[in-house]
């Protein structure tokens, strides 16, 4: 990949896409193209076809997807499967038709069976049943892996699929209804701290509501008060977190230095499970995570675990041996990463 190669980043405003764009600009890539959702709807087959025929990108990073936390996945099941299948079918197929030299497809560690042995290696894919709450999303992402793998095997393309663990960082979704756990904890605990310190104007500003009565109503729905903050589930599930800028770094490392042929063993009779896990190899419980966020924010109240809300998968630590062997390692430790995201959140 040359510094002036034409590179299309799909999803450049999202958590990972924005980190990839920043990383590539810092590294001196000069010919990066991207479109907002309004300019190009990736669900629209004809629009994607026209875009690829006009632009002819040489490299494609497919970081556009419909994503969300455990409840969003569980409620908007149809949207998660339909939109993700459409986006990836359109982009991968047009990449093939327009002779894209290399494509990077981003998935998620939720592709693995619910009860996978820990840490979860790439070979656990399709060994048993998925976690129910995110089954439609996971099936779409599995289809994306298989699509990349199948085009590589049938047509000799060079597509790489990466499966990150739970990600966090700047430009994340902080909407309490649809976000993942880390941005939700940061926002809920920050709001509770503001209430505790009687900074009511700041609460109104954060929520974008008209008055404090509206703010209180909204916060009650999410169990946020001056004295306590509601955390979903038992607090026992364990999760692994990777900083979005580390994820971006891993993606560019693979694009620059590795090819599809590096993702499997040459002696394998059946070429499968060619995707690559990206993570830190360390996890912690949601209870430990909540305590950590509480300490970083400096909130004095209590945490309350609402067991009416779902836990989801209990264990989801991924095995990063394959990526370790390819020569990449994460840098940002969780404690420092949360401090940075909290500062970013405050600055917005
Ligand atoms: O991040 P999260 O929504 O996604 O939830 P998953 C992780 C854990 O944190 C679950 C708990 O056990 C939640 O119940 N949790 C506690 C909370 N408080 C909160 C809160 O306020 N908000 C949220 N969102 N969670 C998603 C999948 O699973 O992970 C996706 O649904 C995707 O498909 C993504 O794979 C990375 O880790 O459970």
């Amino acid at each position: 990949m040359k510094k002036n190669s034409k590179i299309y980043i799909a999803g450049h405003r999202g958590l990972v896409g924005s980190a990839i764009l920043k990383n590539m600009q810092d590294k001196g890539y000069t010919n990066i193209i991207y479109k907002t959702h309004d300019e190009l709807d990736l669900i629209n087959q004809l629009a994607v076809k026209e875009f690829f025929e006009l632009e002819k990108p040489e490299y494609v990073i497919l970081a556009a997807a419909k994503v969300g936390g455990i409840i969003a996945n569980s409620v908007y099941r149809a949207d998660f499967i339909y939109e993700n299948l459409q986006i990836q079918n359109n982009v991968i197929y047009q990449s093939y038709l327009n002779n894209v030299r290399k494509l990077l497809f981003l998935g998620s560690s939720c592709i693995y069976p619910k009860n996978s042995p820990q840490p979860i290696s790439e070979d656990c894919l399709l060994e048993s049943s998925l976690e129910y709450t995110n089954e439609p999303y996971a099936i779409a992402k599995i289809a994306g892996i298989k699509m990349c793998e199948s085009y590589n095997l049938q047509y000799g393309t060079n597509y790489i699929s990466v499966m990150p663990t739970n990600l966090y960082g700047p430009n994340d979704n902080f909407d309490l209804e649809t976000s993942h756990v880390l941005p939700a904890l940061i926002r809920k605990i920050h709001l509770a701290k503001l209430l505790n310190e009687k900074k009511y104007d700041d609460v109104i500003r954060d929520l974008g509501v008209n008055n404090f009565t509206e703010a209180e109503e909204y916060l009650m729905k999410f169990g946020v008060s001056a004295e306590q903050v509601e955390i979903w589930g038992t607090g026992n599930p364990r999760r692994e977190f990777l900083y979005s800028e580390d994820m971006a770094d891993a993606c560019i490392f693979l694009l620059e230095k590795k090819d599809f042929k590096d993702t499997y063993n040459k002696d394998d009779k059946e070429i499968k499970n060619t995707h690559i896990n990206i993570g830190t190899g360390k996890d912690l419980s949601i209870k430990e995570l909540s305590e950590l966020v509480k300490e970083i924010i400096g909130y004095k109240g209590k945490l309350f675990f609402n067991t009416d809300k779902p836990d989801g998968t209990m264990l989801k630590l991924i095995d990063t041996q394959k990526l370790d062997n390819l020569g990449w390692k994460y840098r940002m430790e969780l404690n420092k990463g949360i401090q940075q995201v909290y500062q970013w959140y405050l600055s917005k």
Side-chain angles (χ1 to χ4, degrees):
M1 194 160 66
K2 298 194 205 93
K3 290 289 189 267
N4 64 352
S5 298
K6 195 167 200 179
I7 302 159
Y8 168 47
I9 305 179
H12 71 285
R13 280 179 163 174
L15 177 62
V16 188
S18 62
I20 290 177
L21 177 61
K22 180 171 169 277
N23 187 314
M24 294 196 108
Q25 284 170 335
D26 290 349
K27 285 205 168 98
Y29 284 93
T30 55
N31 199 4
I32 306 170
I33 52 170
Y34 43 81
K35 294 276 174 198
T36 62
H37 189 274
D38 284 348
E39 290 166 335
L40 175 63
D41 179 4
L42 294 173
I43 290 174
N44 182 331
Q45 193 178 13
L46 185 62
V48 177
K49 176 178 185 284
E50 285 170 358
F51 169 76
F52 270 81
E53 285 171 358
L54 179 74
E55 295 288 353
K56 294 273 178 203
E58 296 171 72
Y59 294 85
V60 170
I61 299 166
L62 179 41
K66 182 171 181 67
V67 298
I70 189 165
I71 290 192
N73 265 270
S74 166
V75 174
Y76 306 110
R77 305 178 79 83
D79 301 344
F80 273 79
I81 191 161
Y82 171 71
E83 291 184 28
N84 284 305
L85 282 174
Q86 282 295 99
I87 293 171
Q88 65 205 37
N89 277 349
N90 288 341
V91 174
I92 298 169
Y93 185 55
Q94 287 304 325
S95 295
Y96 159 65
L97 289 182
N98 290 280
N99 304 314
V100 163
R101 297 161 82 101
K102 204 189 274 189
L103 174 144
L104 198 73
F105 172 68
L106 273 74
S108 158
S109 61
C110 72
I111 55 158
Y112 292 115
K114 185 183 173 74
N115 297 317
S116 296
Q118 305 288 303
I120 313 172
S121 81
E122 286 82 356
D123 289 335
C124 291
L125 184 66
L126 295 172
E127 286 293 304
S128 58
S129 311
L130 296 165
E131 153 64 26
Y132 181 73
T133 50
N134 60 29
E135 198 180 55
Y137 175 72
I139 287 176
K141 288 294 179 186
I142 294 170
I145 297 176
K146 289 295 163 193
M147 185 140 166
C148 289
E149 213 170 66
S150 304
Y151 273 84
N152 290 339
L153 295 176
Q154 186 178 345
Y155 294 116
T157 50
N158 191 8
Y159 303 160
I160 298 176
S161 297
V162 289
M163 299 302 123
T165 187
N166 290 37
L167 298 167
Y168 71 104
N171 299 312
D172 207 344
N173 168 19
F174 283 81
D175 180 302
L176 296 181
E177 241 167 296
T178 58
S179 69
H180 288 106
V181 62
L182 231 165
L185 290 183
I186 291 176
R187 191 164 188 205
K188 287 200 280 194
I189 295 176
H190 171 67
L191 285 163
K193 184 183 174 220
L194 292 179
L195 289 175
N196 200 284
E197 294 168 352
K198 302 192 177 1
K199 294 183 174 159
Y200 303 124
D201 286 347
D202 290 350
V203 172
I204 293 169
R205 207 171 307 124
D206 180 294
L207 294 175
V209 291
N210 296 312
N211 51 50
F212 191 60
T213 315
E214 278 183 28
E216 263 189 319
E217 235 170 69
Y218 184 82
L219 289 173
M220 217 154 56
K221 214 171 105 188
F222 292 99
V224 177
S225 69
E227 296 77 33
Q228 66 173 27
V229 174
E230 176 190 295
I231 312 291
W232 296 352
T234 58
N236 296 328
R238 299 181 72 82
R239 292 289 183 273
E240 176 188 4
F241 294 93
L242 178 73
Y243 198 58
S244 58
E245 290 178 9
D246 276 340
M247 174 62 188
D249 194 65
C251 289
I252 293 155
F253 164 80
L254 291 169
L255 264 179
E256 286 177 337
K257 301 201 162 59
K258 303 294 167 189
D259 293 305
F260 176 63
K261 65 174 171 44
D262 302 315
T263 66
Y264 57 88
N265 193 332
K266 312 287 166 292
D267 304 324
D268 287 347
K269 273 215 173 102
E270 288 180 348
I271 298 177
K272 60 179 190 176
N273 301 333
T274 57
H275 56 283
I276 303 166
N277 287 344
I278 305 188
T280 64
K282 292 185 214 169
D283 66 359
L284 78 173
S285 72
I286 295 301
K287 184 159 193 273
E288 288 164 336
L289 178 74
S290 313
E291 295 290 352
L292 180 61
V293 174
K294 182 179 148 179
E295 190 191 309
I296 289 170
I297 292 182
Y299 171 58
K300 303 278 183 297
K302 282 195 224 142
L303 301 176
F304 154 74
F305 290 87
N306 182 353
T307 51
D308 290 341
K309 291 281 195 305
D311 269 339
T313 310
M314 293 310 286
L315 299 173
K316 207 160 71 157
L317 181 67
I318 56 173
D319 185 343
T320 57
Q321 191 70 51
K322 187 170 179 178
L323 187 59
D324 292 349
N325 293 343
L326 289 171
W328 186 89
K329 203 171 164 40
Y330 80 101
R331 271 185 290 234
M332 181 70 83
E333 292 299 342
L334 184 60
N335 193 315
K336 192 163 166 241
I338 297 174
Q339 291 181 39
Q340 292 208 2
V341 178
Y342 185 46
Q343 287 313 315
W344 178 87
Y345 181 76
L346 292 178
S347 75
K348 295 281 150 188

